[in-house]
Amino acid sequence: MVKLEGKIAFIAGGAGNVGEGIVRSFLKAGATVITTSRKQEKLDALRDRLGEITDNKFIPIVGSLGDIDSAEKLRDQILQKSDRLDAVVASIGGTWKDGVPMIQVSMEDWEKYILTNLTTHFVCARTFLPVLTKTKSSSYTFLGGSAAENTIPNYSLVAIPAAGQLMMAKVLMEEMKDSGVRINEVMINSLVNTRATKEAKPEWITADEIGDYVAWLASDEAHMVRSSVPYLQEQSR
Ligand SMILES: NC(=O)c1ccc[n+]([C@@H]2O[C@H](COP(=O)([O-])OP(=O)(O)OC[C@H]3O[C@@H](n4cnc5c(N)ncnc54)[C@H](OP(=O)(O)O)[C@@H]3O)[C@@H](O)[C@H]2O)c1
């Protein structure tokens, strides 16, 4: 069982489908979990789904990572409640249901997905990595998907930001290799079985399995894992 007692984690996107599994795993491992959503009702619904494990270690805050000012406001609110952060997880972004060929993508959709799936990661990393440098043995984990590396037609608005996000993670790993912060990007090479999945397949990874892995990555047991891109694969079972 992963141990995160005494650790304080910020899970960006914790009210999302994958984020919920990550929040649950961190709480089960004993961490204090701060998470954010742009909507209070999503945080209320998350608390209801988590149930008793929230105890007094679940700290939801309404906020956005869409621009630097909002993110810095969020950071200041977090640092008023807690003197430090030990771990940050960026489970941000969303899928694109009405995929069309690239040459039919509207400017509006292009800007929307670059913001949601790429700019948010830049804003989150730029705001919270400096906070983590002040804590010994801290970690920053990006969540990524296989669209970053596999060419899928009509999926450009997920794939292009995902590829940019992976390079962002690699640049930060290099630039901050002496900072003391362990930066990793967990690549999910599977569809994910989440609360939103209508017909799950047994080979898909579950949000809680991702959560357990990411919680381990934030623990002291994973002290040797840095600047890595581990792949979580779907598999028959
Ligand atoms: N689901 C899958 O099958 C799958 C597969 C491979 C990889 N992944 C990866 O898993 C991660 C999460 O995906 P998901 O399926 O959980 O997506 P999701 O359910 O759509 O959740 C995305 C989260 O991103 C947050 N977000 C978006 N824009 C934001 C902003 N401006 N400020 C703050 N937060 C913002 C949302 O917060 P709000 O609560 O404010 O809306 C939401 O909680 C992504 O990195 C994705 O690449 C997922």
Side-chain angles (χ1 to χ4, degrees):
M1 178 76 187
V2 176
K3 289 192 178 63
L4 290 176
E5 278 98 8
K7 300 263 188 204
I8 304 169
F10 171 52
I11 315 289
N17 295 322
V18 174
E20 176 181 336
I22 299 171
V23 170
R24 187 179 291 109
S25 294
F26 272 69
L27 285 169
K28 280 186 175 168
T32 295
V33 176
I34 302 161
T35 194
T36 190
S37 170
R38 290 160 294 176
K39 294 189 177 150
Q40 180 66 50
E41 57 267 33
K42 286 182 78 173
L43 293 170
D44 294 342
L46 176 64
R47 186 192 284 278
D48 287 349
R49 281 193 301 272
L50 291 169
E52 284 178 4
I53 57 164
T54 53
D55 196 7
N56 57 356
K57 287 188 162 175
F58 175 69
I59 305 174
I61 302 177
V62 173
S64 171
L65 295 163
D67 60 80
I68 299 286
D69 285 351
S70 305
E72 290 185 344
K73 190 173 155 208
L74 185 61
R75 177 201 61 198
D76 294 347
Q77 281 176 278
I78 291 171
L79 292 179
Q80 273 169 15
K81 292 177 190 289
S82 136
D83 59 348
R84 65 172 205 284
L85 285 175
D86 299 292
V88 173
V89 180
S91 182
I92 326 169
T95 195
W96 181 41
K97 293 216 168 59
D98 33 294
V100 294
M102 202 70 229
I103 54 172
Q104 292 170 23
V105 168
S106 69
M107 193 65 197
E108 190 187 357
D109 277 356
W110 172 264
E111 287 177 346
K112 179 176 160 195
Y113 281 86
I114 291 293
L115 172 67
T116 306
N117 289 17
L118 186 59
T119 305
T120 49
H121 279 281
F122 160 67
V123 169
C124 189
R126 187 185 184 280
T127 307
F128 288 98
L129 275 166
V131 178
L132 290 173
T133 59
K134 299 192 174 93
T135 313
K136 209 165 168 266
S137 311
S138 60
S139 66
Y140 188 104
T141 305
F142 290 86
L143 266 284
S146 58
E149 296 175 309
N150 299 312
T151 311
I152 307 168
N154 304 339
Y155 209 44
S156 57
L157 290 189
V158 173
I160 293 168
Q165 179 199 315
L166 179 58
M167 182 50 74
M168 184 190 307
K170 288 181 176 179
V171 168
L172 287 165
M173 289 170 195
E174 197 56 33
E175 289 179 351
M176 298 191 67
K177 62 183 175 206
D178 300 322
S179 68
V181 186
R182 293 187 293 109
I183 302 174
N184 297 287
E185 170 150 334
V186 174
M187 291 290 274
I188 303 165
N189 246 357
S190 166
L191 288 175
V192 182
N193 182 1
T194 72
R195 63 174 189 253
T197 309
K198 297 221 166 57
E199 287 178 46
K201 292 199 175 153
E203 60 266 31
W204 293 354
I205 303 171
T206 69
D208 284 22
E209 286 170 332
I210 294 170
D212 287 350
Y213 182 79
V214 174
W216 173 77
L217 205 49
S219 74
D220 292 338
E221 277 180 32
H223 65 92
M224 74 299 272
V225 187
R226 59 179 68 235
S227 302
S228 78
V229 183
Y231 287 78
L232 305 190
Q233 309 281 5
E234 72 171 47
Q235 57 176 36
S236 44
R237 49 183 143 188

